[in-house]
Amino acid sequence: MAVPSSLVKTDIDVQNSTVLGDFPKRIWTTGPLSPMRIKKEDADRVRTWMDLNMEYRYELLTDGSAETYVKDHFPEHSKIRQTYLSLNDFIMRADLIRYLALLQDGGVYNDLDVGCLRPIDLWIPPAFKDNTSVVLGIEVDNEMGPDRSNLFELVNWTIMSRRNAPFMRFLVDRVIRNLEQDAAAHNTTLANLQPKRQEVIDVTGPAALTEATFQYLSEKTQTTVNMHNFTKMRRPKLVADILVLPINAFGAGHQVQWSGTDEDGSALVHHYFAGSWKTTHFDGPTEEEKKAEEAKKNEEARKKQEEEDRKRKEEEDRKRREDEDRKEKEEEERKKKEEQDRLKKAEEERTKIKEDYEKKKAEEDQKKKAGSSNQQVAIEGQSNTHSHNADEGQGKGQGQGEPNPQGDQEQRNGQQQNGEENQDEAEEQDNGLEEKQGIDQSEQPAQAQQAGQALENKSNAEGVKAREKVSLSVLEQERRKAIEEFNRVNAVRTKTREEAIKKIQADRERDVEERKKDEENKKKLAKVEKMKAMQRQQQAVQG
């Protein structure tokens, strides 16, 4: 429906100023190349518009065809034609031509890096369709974000309009005025104007579109219309003849917005931000970008320091564990050596005791043999003495018959016979005595030897038992000491290992906690970086 011209002030001249009935089934886009030469990803996005809107006519305005379009549709001396043809900055031209195409022919405009998600015929709720001449979407609405900053902008990468809509005439008029003022501010012409990024956003881009919308609606409704009329919107809102859709409609997937996702069903298009114009209009980082860059550097330095601290701590822990293992191994070696030395010493003492015992036994055996030899010598001496006495007695008996050998022959014979008998008897007695003495003398050394041997054996056995008892006692004491020392070392080693295991477990738990904290910090930082990126992009969009 038409809007009373008294509420809209414009000084532009447009052919055929009447508004046609319905939204034209035309899709406009701009690009530097012809449709046959565009990149594959751009062609894929173009195909989404054609596949979902088969009844619509798709038109791509290149740099050359855009000039032809302006010359064909706007009078030779009109301000629109003169402004567009004088303007040399390609991105300002791209902004202006989209507004001119929608003003002249209507339809839907979208940038080449925007894909269609739902058919265009479903964009406007039926209750609003008859009273709507322009459909706009929200790009930036920081009132919906955590920082609550007052930043609000409408999308200019997708716009839907009827032919000759009053708002589009108002918008074109405001953009042309902005260009003239910007050129005057730089004391140059439109042809020589070399705008910075923020200038493009403010003069012809989304900031210019947003400001023109607020001015148009304020004049149309005779009230003050600003961002507070549209912030935090969850449903479409019609003010005068402009339908503003929630941020999800045209801003879904925007990496710096709180716009939801494409999958929730409310998204109508998806902007892929493939344009590179901002790099060609770079005017240096803003203060916010500088602060963000400084914060980023500080965060990277902090992370680097944390990583260095973590590596240093890991290295210290590794060296500490190696030192503990080395000390434990040295302690084990020392204990082992001490045990070997103790066993060696015990073996030497046992060997010495055995050698002393064998030496003493050998001395005792030597003494015993010497005593036996002396007894034998004594017995032989007694036997020789007895034989000598017997011989002397026999000699004396023969000497007594010699004084009268011839006078008394019979006496001599009788004496001789008696002497022989006496001699025989004496010899028998001597022989018996000698035999008895020999038996006694032979038996006495044997009994003495046996008694001495028995006593010696008993003494030796008692000595051996005593020495064995002493040796066994020493060995038992050494064995018990070794067992006690082993148990002590084993207890110390077990305690050390338990403490080391507890320390390792504590370190691991601490590492897990630190990693959790790091993850949380990373998420927080990512969130902050996302918010800052939102602010930077919003400012970039404005610029």
Side-chain angles (χ1 to χ4, degrees), residues 114-164:
V114 175
C116 185
L117 300 178
R118 298 188 69 189
I120 296 172
D121 292 341
L122 302 178
W123 285 11
I124 304 175
F128 300 129
K129 191 167 186 178
D130 293 339
N131 298 318
T132 300
S133 63
V134 175
V135 179
L136 301 175
I138 300 172
E139 177 184 3
V140 178
D141 185 6
N142 272 5
E143 278 291 322
M144 301 181 70
D147 57 355
R148 297 294 189 268
S149 60
N150 294 325
L151 182 58
F152 183 93
E153 278 184 358
L154 297 172
V155 167
N156 85 327
W157 59 65
T158 301
I159 303 173
M160 184 176 183
S161 176
R162 294 180 190 270
R163 188 167 180 264
N164 291 327

Side-chain angles (χ1 to χ4, degrees), residues 243-481:
L243 180 66
V244 180
L245 302 178
I247 194 171
N248 286 22
F250 292 168
H254 197 327
Q255 62 266 38
V256 296
Q257 297 307 314
W258 308 92
S259 56
T261 63
D262 297 347
E263 291 77 14
D264 63 5
S266 61
L268 304 180
V269 302
H270 186 104
H271 189 200
Y272 291 92
F273 294 93
S276 60
W277 71 270
K278 292 180 181 179
T279 60
T280 61
H281 291 73
F282 182 68
D283 52 356
T286 63
E287 290 299 322
E288 290 296 327
E289 289 174 337
K290 290 179 180 178
K291 291 179 181 179
E293 185 65 23
E294 184 68 21
K296 183 179 180 181
K297 290 181 179 179
N298 293 336
E299 180 62 20
E300 291 176 352
R302 184 189 65 81
K303 290 181 179 179
K304 183 178 180 181
Q305 185 63 40
E306 287 181 353
E307 182 67 15
E308 291 177 355
D309 293 341
R310 184 185 63 80
K311 289 182 179 180
R312 184 175 64 255
K313 184 176 181 301
E314 289 179 353
E315 182 65 18
E316 290 176 353
D317 291 340
R318 183 187 64 79
K319 289 182 179 180
R320 176 180 55 79
R321 287 192 295 269
E322 289 180 354
D323 189 58
E324 289 177 354
D325 293 341
R326 179 182 57 78
K327 289 181 179 180
E328 182 178 357
K329 187 175 181 180
E330 290 177 353
E331 181 67 15
E332 290 178 355
E333 292 293 332
R334 187 184 66 81
K335 296 294 184 182
K336 183 178 180 181
K337 187 174 183 305
E338 288 181 353
E339 179 67 13
Q340 291 175 348
D341 293 342
R342 186 191 63 77
L343 293 175
K344 182 178 179 182
K345 184 177 180 182
E347 180 65 21
E348 291 175 352
E349 291 179 354
R350 188 182 68 80
T351 302
K352 183 177 180 182
I353 292 173
K354 183 177 179 182
E355 290 176 352
D356 292 343
Y357 167 73
E358 291 177 352
K359 181 178 180 181
K360 186 174 182 181
K361 182 178 179 182
E363 291 176 352
E364 291 176 352
D365 290 343
Q366 188 175 3
K367 289 180 180 180
K368 182 178 69 175
K369 289 180 181 180
S372 298
S373 298
N374 293 332
Q375 288 181 357
Q376 185 66 28
V377 170
I379 292 171
E380 290 177 355
Q382 290 178 359
S383 178
N384 292 331
T385 303
H386 180 72
S387 298
H388 178 72
N389 291 335
D391 291 337
E392 287 181 353
Q394 185 177 3
K396 289 178 178 181
Q398 293 177 356
Q400 288 177 358
E402 291 179 357
N404 191 13
Q406 296 178 356
D408 196 356
Q409 186 66 33
E410 294 178 355
Q411 185 178 357
R412 286 196 303 266
N413 292 336
Q415 290 176 350
Q416 185 177 2
Q417 186 176 3
N418 291 334
E420 292 175 355
E421 292 176 356
N422 290 335
Q423 186 177 357
D424 293 336
E425 184 178 356
E427 288 178 357
E428 290 178 359
Q429 291 178 356
D430 290 338
N431 291 333
L433 180 61
E434 289 177 357
E435 183 178 356
K436 184 177 180 180
Q437 288 177 348
I439 292 173
D440 291 340
Q441 289 175 356
S442 61
E443 287 179 355
Q444 286 177 359
Q447 292 175 355
Q449 185 176 2
Q450 290 176 358
Q453 185 66 35
L455 182 61
E456 180 181 359
N457 291 339
K458 182 177 180 180
S459 176
N460 292 336
E462 290 176 353
V464 170
K465 288 180 180 180
R467 283 188 293 272
E468 289 179 353
K469 186 174 181 180
V470 171
S471 179
L472 290 174
S473 176
V474 171
L475 293 176
E476 180 65 20
Q477 290 177 0
E478 293 294 334
R479 188 181 69 82
R480 289 179 180 177
K481 287 181 180 179

Side-chain angles (χ1 to χ4, degrees), residues 29-86:
T29 190
T30 58
L33 303 174
S34 65
M36 301 302 295
R37 297 174 61 191
I38 62 176
K39 295 183 292 186
K40 180 181 181 301
E41 53 268 25
D42 291 333
D44 292 339
R45 288 188 282 268
V46 168
R47 193 172 295 110
T48 64
W49 291 94
M50 301 176 67
D51 291 344
L52 291 174
N53 307 281
M54 300 184 67
E55 296 181 0
Y56 281 69
R57 176 183 174 181
Y58 190 90
E59 296 192 33
L60 173 64
L61 294 173
T62 63
D63 293 341
S65 63
E67 282 194 9
T68 302
Y69 179 87
V70 171
K71 291 177 181 179
D72 291 343
H73 290 85
F74 297 97
E76 183 176 355
H77 299 292
S78 68
K79 185 174 291 189
I80 291 177
R81 179 171 176 168
Q82 291 176 356
T83 300
Y84 184 83
L85 297 179
S86 298

Side-chain angles (χ1 to χ4, degrees), residues 309-310 312-318 320-321 324 499-519 521:
D309 293 341
R310 184 185 63 80
R312 184 175 64 255
K313 184 176 181 301
E314 289 179 353
E315 182 65 18
E316 290 176 353
D317 291 340
R318 183 187 64 79
R320 176 180 55 79
R321 287 192 295 269
E324 289 177 354
E499 291 176 352
I501 292 172
K502 289 180 180 179
K503 181 70 168 57
I504 292 171
Q505 291 176 346
D507 291 342
R508 288 177 178 174
E509 292 175 357
R510 184 171 62 254
D511 290 340
V512 171
E513 291 297 326
E514 290 178 354
R515 283 195 293 271
K516 288 182 179 179
K517 290 180 180 179
D518 289 340
E519 290 297 327
N521 291 333

